[in-house]
């Protein structure tokens, strides 16, 4: 990996989630939080709309924020409120050290993710999610 790419990756990892730097690191990349659009079934309208958004970001270099609607907005807000408590409870119960990270770009694809934390070299943590129905299907 080149020195320039290493610096960009380090900056993306250090940017707090939700910050302007974090939004810029995600700009023009398919992200894990929106990957449902890539996998959407049907006529491909959702996938095409997401592709156009990512393409527009690549062309302009400016992030386009997506907005959640309805019940999902409430779930996102509740998750943000509960995430610190969930992380503390997980660490207390398991003894794991949780590394805070920003955006993790894929080394080859125009894609990446923003986990709530990393657990050593081979694990990730997603905390504070309250869409119970997603996990009971």
């Amino acid at each position: 990996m080149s020195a320039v790419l290493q610096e960009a990756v380090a900056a993306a990892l250090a940017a707090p989630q939700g910050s302007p730097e974090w939004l810029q690191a995600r700009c023009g990349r398919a992200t894990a939080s929106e990957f449902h659009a890539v996998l959407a079934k049907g006529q491909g309208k959702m996938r095409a709309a997401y592709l156009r958004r990512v393409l527009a970001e690549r062309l302009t270099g400016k992030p386009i924020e997506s907005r959640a609607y309805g019940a999902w907005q409430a779930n996102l807000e509740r998750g943000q409120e509960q995430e610190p408590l969930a992380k503390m409870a997980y660490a207390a119960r398991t003894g794991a050290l949780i590394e805070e990270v920003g955006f993790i770009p894929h080394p080859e694809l125009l894609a990446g993710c923003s986990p709530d934390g990393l657990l050593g070299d081979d694990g990730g943590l997603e905390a504070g999610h309250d869409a119970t129905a997603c996990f009971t299907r």
Side-chain angles (χ1 to χ4, degrees):
M1 186 181 313
S2 72
V4 172
L5 184 56
Q6 285 178 333
E7 286 181 32
V9 169
L13 284 170
Q17 291 187 21
S19 69
E21 296 83 7
W22 177 79
L23 289 170
Q24 192 61 46
R26 295 167 43 100
C27 182
R29 294 178 178 271
T31 62
S33 60
E34 297 291 332
F35 212 72
H36 66 278
V38 174
L39 300 175
K41 296 181 181 179
Q43 298 175 348
K45 292 178 184 177
M46 185 180 226
R47 185 174 29 261
Y50 183 57
L51 174 63
R52 285 191 299 274
R53 189 177 109 207
V54 171
L55 180 59
E57 288 181 342
R58 298 253 351 130
L59 292 172
T60 65
K62 296 179 181 176
I64 300 171
E65 292 185 54
S66 68
R67 297 281 183 217
Y69 299 99
W72 281 109
Q73 184 65 37
N75 284 332
L76 289 172
E77 290 172 3
R78 186 164 189 252
Q80 289 172 343
E81 291 170 4
Q82 292 186 343
E83 184 178 314
L85 296 173
K87 286 180 177 179
M88 287 190 307
Y90 182 85
R93 183 175 183 132
T94 65
L97 296 175
I98 302 169
E99 179 185 354
E100 301 283 329
V101 294
F103 183 73
I104 303 173
H106 189 280
E108 296 173 16
L109 303 175
L110 291 175
C113 64
S114 301
D116 292 338
L118 295 179
L119 305 169
D121 292 334
D122 59 356
L125 177 69
E126 285 295 323
H129 191 283
D130 191 40
T132 309
C134 290
F135 302 107
T136 57
R137 288 187 205 155

